[in-house]
Amino acid sequence: MQVAICDEVPGRPRDPVMALTLDRPVISLRDLIRARIALELEQLAEVETDPQDAEERLRKMQRRFLVVPDSVERQLNGERGPYGPGTRLFPGENREAGDAAPADAGRMAELAFAAFASGGFFVLTGERQILDLDEDLSFAETGDITFLKITPLQGG
């Protein structure tokens, strides 16, 4: 069973980002988010193993990630850290600067769950909004689901 995952940002057209293959026709939103993150990490691993044009491909992928892994931020922003020059560590890091850590799918899923709970993105199937992470989603032979990403206003 194929489920088309689309991202949408208000004011822009829907962007098909991936197709997930599910082994069962009913899945909770929580499990669907975990599956999406796992597939995103597989795609990231492919980019990281082929360094040709990696930075450009990471920039394109970054817009599609549900949660951006620290390694992608580090690749795009350099070792300056997420809080400006002189800050070397990313949130939760205790290691020497420059040591790459593999992306943690579980941690990324928890961040995605928190973002969903706080209204950072909405999930739609057809015209229906999914309100609960544990709600079961039912798909026929094919289906589609939209992650409506909310963009915070600049300066506010």
Side-chain angles (χ1 to χ4, degrees):
M1 158 161 326
Q2 288 283 326
V3 176
I5 303 288
C6 298
D7 284 348
E8 188 172 344
V9 175
R12 295 187 187 153
R14 281 178 42 159
D15 180 21
V17 294
M18 66 180 61
L20 278 175
T21 302
L22 302 177
D23 57 355
R24 59 189 190 274
V26 177
I27 187 170
S28 70
L29 178 57
R30 185 180 306 273
D31 289 340
L32 185 78
I33 288 172
R34 283 187 183 116
R36 176 183 173 156
I37 288 172
L39 186 56
E40 288 174 347
L41 290 177
E42 286 177 25
Q43 293 171 348
L44 175 62
E46 290 174 13
V47 169
E48 289 177 339
T49 57
D50 180 13
Q52 186 170 346
D53 300 326
E55 186 171 331
E56 182 60 31
R57 289 186 295 158
L58 284 174
R59 282 191 198 289
K60 289 178 183 176
M61 286 179 73
Q62 182 181 23
R63 290 187 291 264
R64 293 181 168 198
F65 280 119
L66 191 57
V67 176
V68 180
D70 292 339
S71 62
V72 172
E73 286 292 334
R74 185 175 295 107
Q75 174 77 17
L76 296 174
N77 294 326
E79 286 301 326
R80 68 181 185 88
Y83 303 111
T87 61
R88 295 281 187 217
L89 296 181
F90 284 71
E93 291 185 333
N94 299 339
R95 60 186 180 278
E96 297 294 319
D99 290 349
D104 179 355
R107 182 175 153 270
M108 290 174 62
E110 291 302 320
L111 290 171
F113 301 153
F116 178 82
S118 67
F121 66 91
F122 300 102
V123 178
L124 308 168
T125 57
E127 298 296 319
R128 191 170 71 87
Q129 180 179 347
I130 308 304
L131 300 174
D132 184 3
L133 284 168
D134 295 313
E135 183 173 338
D136 284 336
L137 309 174
S138 181
F139 297 101
E141 290 298 315
T142 61
D144 68 314
I145 190 157
T146 300
F147 287 77
L148 180 60
K149 296 179 176 180
I150 306 303
T151 307
L153 296 175
Q154 195 76 7

